[in-house]
Each structure stands twice: as C-alpha cells, then as structure tokens.
Amino acid sequence: MAKVSTPISFKARLHRPAKPADADWLFFVLPQAASDRLPTRSQVSVEGTLDGQPFQVTLDPDGKGGHWMKVEAGLAKAAGIEAGATVAVKMAPMAEEPEPKVPAALAAALAANPAARATWDDITRVARRDWILWVTSGKKAETRVKRIAVACDKLAKGQRRACCFDRSGMYSNSLSAPEPAE
C-alpha cells in the first residue's frame, strides 16, 4: 500500500444505513482503487471535500480490504445531499492523527487506575484509537465492560497495544460497512 502524495478523487453513491432505522447519517463505501491508495487497511484519518464541503473523518475498514465513510447529518445538509445521490469525493490521509474520543466509561476507568492512565498517556494516538475500537467493538454491554477492565489491567502492566485485535476486520469478520436501507 503506497503512501498518498496526491489527493484521491472518486465518485460514490450515498446510502442510508438499514440499522438503526432512525439513523440521521449516511455512508458510502470507497471504490477499491481509492481504498488501495490509503496507507492502511484499518482505520485511517483523512481530510478532504464531499461535493465541495470540507471534512475531517476517520474512515472505518469494511472487512474486505477496503474502507467506508460515515457522513454525519451536518455534512450532508451543508453539501445539500441525500441518500441515493452520487457525490464527488476528494481526500488524503491527515498528516497527524487526531486525538480519539474516549468513551465515558473507559475515561472513568482510566481515571481510577493511575498506572493504566500513565501508559495510556504515553502511547500513540493510533494505539489509543485501537484500544477504543477493541473496547467498543464488543456487541454486548457486558462484553464492553469486561474489555474495559482487561484494557486497564493490561495498560497498568505496560502493554501498549491491544493484542490480537484484527484492525482490518478481514480475518475476524468483526468490522464491516453498514447494510444499506435501500
């Protein structure tokens, strides 16, 4: 996978996700040729334009070696686009990964465990994002609670990476693009 030196341009069809039924956001799957130009098969933060409207977002892996992008309601409204539209996209990886948003339960657990917090503060933003993805990818609430405890225990012991977590979804089928409603 080559590093991107020029922006990646393509057209994509917007979809509304089938679940949740009341979703106010849209999504599209990147064409494979566009996804292949990104530096990783896992999450990657990009910036660019969607029908001329600027955005910064972290793309998610689709579990098939590609990526998909969630289009928040505000961006769709600003661009004047709806589900079913074909949009012009231009994007490139961000020079620096943004700080990930830490779920409240994980933040509270880290605050209560100074040793885990010390490792958390010392790891890279990508490593923090991986821990967050591992915790939040649990389908059941009790799984996510257990993963927070395991993450804090491992971080407190100095483990810097979420071990054995398939960041691309290709081998564990844990990640995929949403199913379209239409």
Side-chain angles (χ1 to χ4, degrees):
M1 285 158 244
K3 294 275 185 190
V4 177
S5 58
T6 59
I8 303 165
S9 298
F10 57 90
K11 292 189 183 267
R13 185 168 186 264
L14 290 172
H15 303 280
R16 183 165 310 286
K19 294 179 184 176
D22 62 348
D24 66 348
W25 52 274
L26 305 172
F27 76 96
F28 63 85
V29 177
L30 277 69
Q32 193 62 49
S35 192
D36 286 347
R37 293 192 54 209
L38 294 168
T40 180
R41 294 301 94 209
S42 65
Q43 287 184 317
V44 60
S45 296
V46 296
E47 56 191 347
T49 58
L50 178 80
D51 268 6
Q53 288 297 310
F55 67 84
Q56 290 184 341
V57 69
T58 299
L59 301 175
D60 285 310
D62 66 3
K64 299 175 184 173
H67 296 87
W68 67 277
M69 180 175 149
K70 181 177 184 178
V71 179
E72 296 290 352
L75 176 57
K77 183 177 180 181
I81 54 178
E82 297 178 348
T86 297
V87 294
V89 182
K90 187 179 287 188
M91 67 173 58
M94 294 176 70
E96 185 176 330
E97 279 291 328
E99 188 63 45
K101 292 179 182 162
V102 181
L106 178 57
L110 289 167
N113 187 328
R117 183 63 199 217
T119 302
W120 181 265
D121 289 343
D122 191 49
I123 61 177
T124 67
R125 292 173 178 179
V126 171
R128 286 192 287 268
R129 188 183 64 202
D130 287 349
W131 280 108
I132 292 166
L133 183 58
W134 178 69
V135 165
T136 60
S137 66
K139 292 181 182 175
K140 296 180 180 178
E142 55 266 20
T143 300
R144 294 187 296 275
V145 169
K146 286 179 187 175
R147 287 184 180 183
I148 288 172
V150 168
C152 285
D153 181 60
K154 289 181 180 224
L155 287 161
K157 292 175 181 170
Q159 185 170 326
R160 302 173 68 80
R161 290 278 186 188
C163 173
C164 309
F165 179 60
D166 174 22
R167 299 170 65 212
S168 70
M170 292 173 58
Y171 306 105
S172 65
N173 296 322
S174 63
L175 302 169
S176 62
E179 291 295 321
E182 63 277 349

